[in-house]
Amino acid sequence: MRKKVIAGNWKMNKLASEANQFVDEVKVKLPQSDKVEAIVCSPFPYLAQLVEKAKGTTLAVAAQTMHYEESGAFTGEVSPEMLADLGVTYVVLGHSERREYYNETDETVNKKVHAAFKHGLTPIVCVGETLEQREANETMDHVEMQVTKALEALSEEQVANTIIAYEPIWAIGTGKTATSEQANEVCTHIREVVAKLTSKETASKVIIQYGGSVKPANVDELLAQSDIDGALVGGASLEPASFLQLVEAGAK
Ligand SMILES: O=C[C@H](O)COP(=O)(O)O
């Protein structure tokens, strides 16, 4: 039985004091259940302090991106080694906002996935189609290509430990959630793609999240679907109360 993974992606929000307050409040109220894992994906400046605060709790801390090189002349970048050194355990890779504004490509996502595993970080790889692609019936092919490239040259064990977040771009921050059936249809396809690349057994272990306007009002229905194992949440993860409700839904 796969556990549910609820990741709150704060994106470029919160000041240091707000980030601290959030973790102080959430960490003592998290459901103590091995059915669910709760993660906060914080901006870089707060990672060290949040890792400290979350020590000894079930809350995990993620970065929202990273470079694939260990070090070097990459002004402004943060390496996987730096994240691991801080005690960060997850990293979001290939978010559609990184792909759109910062030239993240399937090739760099794949390099980053390899770099993440090299440094003991669990990658959360984002894939998803635009509205135009959905309307042109290209969703399944597009997502298949993104997943295939992201997982290229990984071992089966690494694939089994990769989290894939299906985020239809048209549903991000728009209030338009894919219906749970639409979301599950693509997540099922992703699992079939992983099975084709590796094996049915490996595919059955992969955590596949849905992301795009997830909130307490729709999370139960999404998590009840056969191939949705959690959520990558933006807006509704910013307030402790709604983040906790999402995690509680994952623990049911
Ligand atoms: O990483 C999270 C997603 O981009 C979803 O954001 P949202 O929940 O605000 O739609």
Side-chain angles (χ1 to χ4, degrees):
M1 175 83 178
R2 294 181 298 268
K3 67 178 169 185
K4 299 284 194 286
V5 179
I6 306 294
N9 179 11
W10 292 347
K11 307 191 178 183
M12 196 174 71
N13 289 294
K14 294 195 185 295
L15 297 178
S17 58
E18 295 165 334
N20 282 339
Q21 216 180 330
F22 181 102
V23 170
D24 281 339
E25 183 171 340
V26 160
K27 70 183 183 186
V28 292
K29 293 185 184 162
L30 281 175
Q32 295 307 304
S33 162
D34 54 11
K35 288 194 196 156
V36 70
E37 168 108 20
I39 307 172
V40 285
C41 313
S42 161
F44 287 135
Y46 317 138
L47 289 172
Q49 72 199 44
L50 298 188
V51 166
E52 275 308 305
K53 277 194 174 289
K55 260 190 192 146
T57 77
T58 53
L59 185 66
V61 178
Q64 298 175 10
T65 184
M66 65 174 197
H67 203 278
Y68 49 83
E69 294 289 353
E70 277 173 24
S71 61
F74 299 102
T75 302
E77 288 290 337
V78 171
S79 77
E81 202 175 20
M82 293 172 189
L83 297 178
D85 187 45
L86 288 181
V88 168
T89 45
Y90 292 87
V91 60
V92 179
L93 299 175
H95 191 283
S96 59
E97 289 149 16
R98 301 292 313 174
R99 292 178 191 257
E100 184 177 355
Y101 308 131
Y102 304 99
N103 300 322
E104 188 99 315
T105 63
D106 290 325
E107 193 191 346
T108 56
V109 170
N110 177 250
K111 284 184 178 175
K112 290 178 183 196
V113 173
H114 281 273
F117 280 120
K118 185 169 176 201
H119 293 281
L121 301 163
T122 299
I124 301 175
V125 176
C126 304
V127 297
E129 80 286 4
T130 62
L131 188 57
E132 294 69 44
Q133 287 168 322
R134 176 156 283 265
E135 285 172 348
N137 256 330
E138 291 168 6
T139 299
M140 298 304 192
D141 286 350
H142 178 70
V143 165
E144 176 158 0
M145 192 241 335
Q146 287 184 312
V147 169
T148 304
K149 294 217 171 149
L151 302 181
E152 206 170 271
L154 291 180
S155 68
E156 285 217 15
E157 194 189 342
Q158 289 171 329
V159 172
N161 288 310
T162 301
I163 297 178
I164 300 174
Y166 167 56
E167 298 206 317
I169 295 170
W170 49 272
I172 296 177
T174 57
K176 284 186 199 156
T177 326
T179 64
S180 41
E181 291 75 21
Q182 277 174 324
N184 195 51
E185 198 185 12
V186 183
C187 292
T188 302
H189 178 61
I190 290 172
R191 203 174 301 286
E192 286 164 1
V193 170
V194 176
K196 212 161 64 177
L197 294 169
T198 57
S199 64
K200 255 192 142 173
E201 199 201 331
T202 297
S204 73
K205 295 179 187 159
V206 174
I207 303 282
I208 303 177
Q209 297 175 311
Y210 168 76
S213 300
V214 176
K215 42 189 182 290
N218 59 23
V219 70
D220 284 330
E221 202 185 325
L222 287 161
L223 295 185
Q225 301 299 311
S226 59
D227 284 299
I228 300 181
D229 310 315
L232 181 59
V233 189
S237 74
L238 291 171
E239 291 304 322
S242 61
F243 179 69
L244 281 165
Q245 283 181 56
L246 299 172
V247 180
E248 277 154 16
K252 277 181 198 162

